[in-house]
């Protein structure tokens, strides 16, 4: 059992997402940094899709009411177990009564923004439409369809501090770096209405950094930069969209749809952040700047294969520590 000790209103239970429900108007949800969740689960011998706790606001505290193996991935938050400092991207062991504290993210200009707490067996909440992810707008999934509150009690699917701990990983931000002139970057495929924007706007999109504004959350990241101007005004009917799609409202300031994105929208689509890079965007702090790199379909597929190869490497390494040939799923 795990008891939440913080009053933060934004920590949620998430797995890798709710697939196959867009036709019913239900978005995917899921962890903003899927690599962090999958890797933390593999370190504990869980299925990669087991549910964990995504923490975007700090400090954050929880108490382990039973012995438990757990892993910390995502942002380095100067974590402590009681008074003991913990390494990030590491498998740890807690005893009943110990308190885990996550402090402010470390790392200076390249810091992350979300920590993931994974536990042995995963967080045990009911599946809704095939997923344990919290869908905040629909108020279902996760723990009672809402963000976690002080006093909430969660059950770990596998009690006890069993399994191998005391080892860690090189984070994907170091293993799979991507930046432009020292600014974190993500790769983007031009979308359907890309050529209907002025050439100067298209050039500015790729050549200048964009600020992630305070009006950003799990639903979408609102950016600030040189306005993207269409060649002529565009009015469109609502159409299907997915996480990663970059829409341009009348203001010309782009919005990137994130994991809790609604399944339809009517703004023109300028581009799409590739699936392999959404974890990078999910870790970008509010107020930070990002760059965009134009890519093509073949490069996007190769990037996804690269992230899958990294997870397979994690699975093999964990298998060596556990004395069995584990493979990432």
């Amino acid at each position: 059992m795990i008891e939440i000790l913080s009053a933060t209103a934004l920590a949620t239970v998430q797995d890798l997402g709710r697939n196959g429900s867009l036709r019913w108007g239900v978005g995917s949800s899921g962890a903003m940094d899927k690599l962090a969740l999958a890797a933390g689960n593999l370190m504990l011998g869980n299925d990669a899709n087991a549910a964990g706790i995504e923490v975007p606001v700090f400090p954050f505290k929880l108490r382990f009411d039973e012995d438990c193996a757990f892993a910390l991935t995502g942002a380095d938050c100067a974590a402590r177990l009681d008074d003991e400092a913990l390494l990030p991207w590491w498998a740890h062991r807690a005893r009943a009564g110990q308190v885990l504290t996550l402090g402010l993210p470390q790392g200076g200009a390249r810091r992350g923004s979300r920590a993931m707490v994974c536990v042995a067996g995963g967080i045990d909440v009911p599946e809704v439409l095939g997923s344990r992810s919290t869908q905040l707008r629909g108020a279902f999934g996760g723990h009672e369809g809402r963000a976690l509150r002080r006093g909430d009690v969660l059950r770990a699917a596998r009690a006890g501090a069993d399994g191998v701990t005391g080892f860690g990983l090189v984070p994907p931000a170091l293993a799979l770096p991507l930046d432009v002139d020292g600014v974190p970057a993500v790769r983007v495929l031009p979308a359907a209405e890309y050529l209907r924007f002025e050439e100067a706007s298209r050039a500015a999109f790729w050549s200048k950094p964009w600020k992630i504004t305070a009006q950003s959350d799990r639903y979408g990241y609102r950016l600030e930069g040189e306005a993207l101007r269409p060649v002529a005004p565009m009015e469109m009917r609502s159409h299907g969209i997915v996480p990663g799609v970059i829409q341009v409202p009348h203001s010309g300031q782009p919005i990137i749809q994130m994991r809790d994105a609604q399944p339809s929208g009517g703004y023109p689509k300028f581009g799409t952040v590739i699936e392999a890079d959404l974890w990078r965007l999910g870790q970008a702090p509010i107020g930070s700047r990002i760059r965009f790199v134009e890519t093509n379909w073949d490069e996007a597929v190769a990037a996804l294969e690269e992230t899958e190869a990294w997870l397979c490497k994690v699975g093999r390494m964990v298998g060596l520590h556990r004395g069995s040939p584990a493979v990432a799923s």
Side-chain angles (χ1 to χ4, degrees):
M1 304 287 279
I2 298 168
E3 183 177 352
I4 305 301
L5 303 180
S6 294
T8 175
L10 296 177
T12 54
V13 174
Q14 301 290 343
D15 59 17
L16 295 181
R18 185 168 285 106
N19 298 317
S21 296
L22 288 175
R23 62 186 181 274
W24 297 314
V26 178
S28 61
S29 300
M32 291 279 276
D33 182 349
K34 288 187 175 184
L35 276 189
L37 175 63
N41 279 324
L42 293 174
M43 292 169 73
L44 297 169
N46 297 344
D47 183 271
N49 190 40
I53 302 173
E54 180 181 279
V55 184
V57 175
F58 307 91
F60 179 81
K61 289 186 177 183
L62 61 79
R63 181 172 56 238
F64 295 98
D65 292 333
E66 298 176 320
D67 293 356
C68 184
F70 69 100
L72 297 177
T73 58
D76 177 0
C77 296
R80 304 187 72 84
L81 187 62
D82 290 341
D83 294 325
E84 177 188 358
L86 301 180
L87 290 170
W89 290 86
W90 203 266
H92 302 281
R93 192 182 304 274
R95 298 300 179 188
Q98 289 191 295
V99 173
L100 173 66
T101 302
L102 303 182
L104 295 177
Q106 310 293 297
R110 304 189 70 81
R111 70 189 185 281
S113 64
R114 288 175 171 81
M116 186 63 66
V117 181
C118 300
V119 299
I123 299 296
D124 188 13
V125 293
E127 284 193 2
V128 180
L129 295 176
S131 172
R132 291 180 170 85
S133 284
T134 308
Q135 223 287 356
L136 292 172
R137 186 168 288 170
F140 62 83
H143 180 70
E144 299 180 358
R146 58 169 174 79
L148 300 175
R149 303 171 185 162
R150 179 186 290 142
D152 284 343
V153 175
L154 303 173
R155 179 176 176 271
R158 188 170 75 240
D162 60 326
V164 178
T165 56
F167 69 95
L169 306 174
V170 175
L174 298 178
L176 305 169
L178 180 62
D179 63 65
V180 177
D181 298 330
V183 179
V186 296
R187 288 160 286 196
V188 172
L189 290 164
E193 287 75 53
Y194 175 72
L195 293 176
R196 296 174 66 178
F197 286 84
E198 293 181 1
E199 183 177 354
S201 289
R202 300 199 305 269
F205 180 81
W206 307 112
S207 64
K208 298 180 180 180
W210 291 83
K211 179 181 178 181
I212 300 174
T213 71
Q215 289 72 47
S216 300
D217 53 26
R218 284 183 51 90
Y219 296 98
Y221 278 10
R222 292 181 177 268
L223 307 182
E224 181 182 289
E226 184 174 326
L228 302 179
R229 298 182 297 272
V231 174
M234 283 182 276
E235 295 294 336
M236 304 179 64
R237 293 182 177 178
S238 290
H239 49 272
I241 55 175
V242 295
V245 167
I246 303 172
Q247 295 183 290
V248 183
H250 299 306
S251 67
Q253 302 297 319
I255 303 171
I256 308 177
Q257 301 300 315
M258 299 303 289
R259 290 299 179 190
D260 279 350
Q262 59 191 31
S264 64
Y267 292 133
K269 302 177 296 300
F270 189 91
T272 302
V273 177
I274 65 174
E275 176 66 27
D277 283 351
L278 280 176
W279 68 270
R280 304 180 194 273
L281 201 56
Q283 285 294 353
I286 300 298
S288 69
R289 297 183 182 274
I290 58 169
R291 291 288 299 268
F292 297 115
V293 177
E294 186 173 2
T295 193
N296 59 40
W297 176 260
D298 290 339
E299 291 168 340
V301 171
L304 190 59
E305 291 173 347
E306 185 179 26
T307 60
E308 290 172 347
W310 182 82
L311 279 177
C312 285
K313 184 178 179 180
V314 170
R316 290 193 296 271
M317 186 273 288
V318 172
L320 291 175
H321 278 277
R322 292 178 174 273
S324 62
V327 178
S329 57

